[in-house]
């Protein structure tokens, strides 16, 4: 997929692309809060999951009216599993149920308020998000230049090799991402070469 094809794809799937961007921002914010011991990260993490699931549904079928869908994470996951078989293999249903309960903690009188921060919760959020993102039904170059992969590979750009706040907080203590990072790092220059091919040198 070249740059023009990428732009055309993103225009046709603009709603999904916008959801991926906001979901990535929510995910980074949730991780920052959770790592620093702030309970608001749980509900923000649930919102990130919801947006990633809705984006995956839109990529699978752009005609789906996601605004009419429930906010229930288990229901959204079930719909995603029906459209994308790879997601069904991830066994995310228990986590969807847990983060659905955490989503309700944005109200102070909810009985599901987490009693403390646990590394397990952060790891499960990461496994959910990274799992969904790797299963997105879109071309590789779309996955790399929109949403999560675009933000975590910013520092790989030789022209501006610095780490943004979003990249930093997504990578911090992220074992799920670390497991696939070597492949992402290897694929990145190939994607950039396809999108921005170097002009032939005079010989």
């Amino acid at each position: 997929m070249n740059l023009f094809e990428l732009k055309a794809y993103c225009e046709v799937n603009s709603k999904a692309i916008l959801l991926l961007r906001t979901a990535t921002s929510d995910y980074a914010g949730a991780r920052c809060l959770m790592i620093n011991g702030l309970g608001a990260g749980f509900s923000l993490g649930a919102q990130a999951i919801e947006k990633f699931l809705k984006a995956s549904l839109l990529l699978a079928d752009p005609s789906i009216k996601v605004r009419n869908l429930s906010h229930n994470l288990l229901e959204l996951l079930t719909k995603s599993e029906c459209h994308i078989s790879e997601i069904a293999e991830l066994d995310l249903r228990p986590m969807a149920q847990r983060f659905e309960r955490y989503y309700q903690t944005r109200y102070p009188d909810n009985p599901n308020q987490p009693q403390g921060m646990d590394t397990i919760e952060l790891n499960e959020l990461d496994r959910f998000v990274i799992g969904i993102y790797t299963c997105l039904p879109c071309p590789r170059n779309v996955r790399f230049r929109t949403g999560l992969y675009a933000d975590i590979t910013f520092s790989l750009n030789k022209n501006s090799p610095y780490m943004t706040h979003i990249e930093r907080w997504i990578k911090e203590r992220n074992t799920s991402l670390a497991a696939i990072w070597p492949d992402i790092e290897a694929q990145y220059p190939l994607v950039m070469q396809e999108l921005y091919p170097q002009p032939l040198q005079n010989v």
Side-chain angles (χ1 to χ4, degrees), residues 5-15 17 142 145-146:
E5 292 169 333
L6 174 65
K7 289 181 176 179
Y9 183 96
C10 289
E11 287 178 5
V12 172
N13 296 277
S14 59
K15 292 180 180 179
I17 301 305
V142 174
R145 300 310 298 156
T146 62

Side-chain angles (χ1 to χ4, degrees), residues 9 13 38 66 73 82 111 158-159 180:
Y9 183 96
N13 296 277
L38 298 174
V66 293
L73 298 185
C82 291
K158 294 180 180 179
N159 296 322
I180 63 171

Side-chain angles (χ1 to χ4, degrees), residues 18-28 44 47-53 55 129:
L18 286 173
L19 272 174
L20 289 177
R21 290 175 182 169
T22 57
T24 299
S25 179
D26 286 354
Y27 176 49
L44 189 56
Q47 290 182 62
I49 289 172
E50 176 186 351
K51 291 172 185 176
F52 277 118
L53 286 172
V129 169

Side-chain angles (χ1 to χ4, degrees), residues 111-195:
N112 294 311
Q113 290 287 342
Q115 299 303 307
M117 294 295 143
D118 194 322
T119 303
I120 293 175
E121 307 294 343
L122 183 64
N123 289 343
E124 289 195 345
L125 174 63
D126 294 335
R127 190 163 80 85
F128 203 120
V129 169
I130 299 301
I132 292 295
Y133 201 84
T134 56
C135 292
L136 289 179
C138 63
R140 177 191 66 174
N141 291 3
V142 174
R143 188 178 295 111
F144 267 81
R145 300 310 298 156
T146 62
L148 182 64
Y149 281 14
D151 279 315
I152 63 173
T153 57
F154 197 87
S155 62
L156 296 180
N157 187 331
K158 294 180 180 179
N159 296 322
S160 56
Y162 71 91
M163 189 174 291
T164 66
H165 291 301
I166 288 180
E167 182 175 357
R168 174 198 168 190
W169 286 112
I170 290 177
K171 287 182 173 178
E172 182 79 14
R173 307 183 202 174
N174 195 329
T175 56
S176 291
L177 177 59
I180 63 171
W181 180 250
D183 183 62
I184 293 173
E185 197 170 20
Q187 292 292 325
Y188 176 81
L190 303 178
V191 170
M192 297 304 286
Q193 177 61 30
E194 289 176 13
L195 295 176

